[in-house]
Amino acid sequence: MKTVRVPKFLHELFGKKSTFVEVSLTLTFALLSTLLILIGTYAEWRGFQVYQIIILFILAIDINGGVIANFTFSTNNQYKQSAKARIIFIAIHVQPLILAIVLQEYFYIQ
């Protein structure tokens, strides 16, 4: 399989080297699953402001891409080389906090 060098800022997602197939499938899954989820939930977010929709879209792509990337050999090899990097990467994921801040008026907490 053809390997591709991954830019440094994407090493945590794809590893240092990945195959064209893994990168393509990860990106395709991230985009298509995000679109399907957002289309299926349109009634819930159609009243959001533009900035909220943009943030929601970006976070959904990030989460969906991360889900599938964790199944790839290149990403798993990246984290086998550095357990500390894996812990740091997990710790900096603050999507739930961002969602709560951006969408706070849509959460009902009693």
Side-chain angles (χ1 to χ4, degrees), residues 35-56:
L35 289 174
L36 287 172
I37 289 168
L38 292 179
I39 288 169
T41 60
Y42 176 72
E44 283 80 19
W45 58 265
R46 70 174 178 218
F48 288 6
Q49 296 193 26
V50 174
Y51 82 93
Q52 291 172 313
I53 295 169
I54 291 170
I55 292 172
L56 183 64

Side-chain angles (χ1 to χ4, degrees), residues 3-97:
T3 58
V4 293
R5 287 187 162 267
V6 177
K8 188 170 181 156
F9 72 95
L10 291 174
H11 282 181
E12 284 76 24
L13 182 60
F14 296 114
K16 292 177 183 161
K17 285 185 179 178
S18 187
T19 65
F20 180 76
V21 171
E22 284 184 335
V23 172
S24 298
L25 289 175
T26 300
L27 294 175
T28 300
F29 177 85
L31 286 171
L32 290 179
S33 61
T34 296
L35 289 174
L36 287 172
I37 289 168
L38 292 179
I39 288 169
T41 60
Y42 176 72
E44 283 80 19
W45 58 265
R46 70 174 178 218
F48 288 6
Q49 296 193 26
V50 174
Y51 82 93
Q52 291 172 313
I53 295 169
I54 291 170
I55 292 172
L56 183 64
F57 186 77
I58 290 169
L59 289 174
I61 286 177
D62 178 49
I63 293 166
N64 291 327
V67 166
I68 196 69
N70 284 319
F71 288 106
T72 65
F73 291 112
S74 58
T75 301
N76 283 310
N77 287 337
Q78 171 75 13
Y79 289 114
K80 281 181 187 176
Q81 294 174 5
S82 175
K84 183 180 176 182
R86 179 173 284 248
I87 291 169
I88 291 169
F89 188 68
I90 291 168
I92 65 171
H93 274 78
V94 293
Q95 293 99 330
L97 297 174

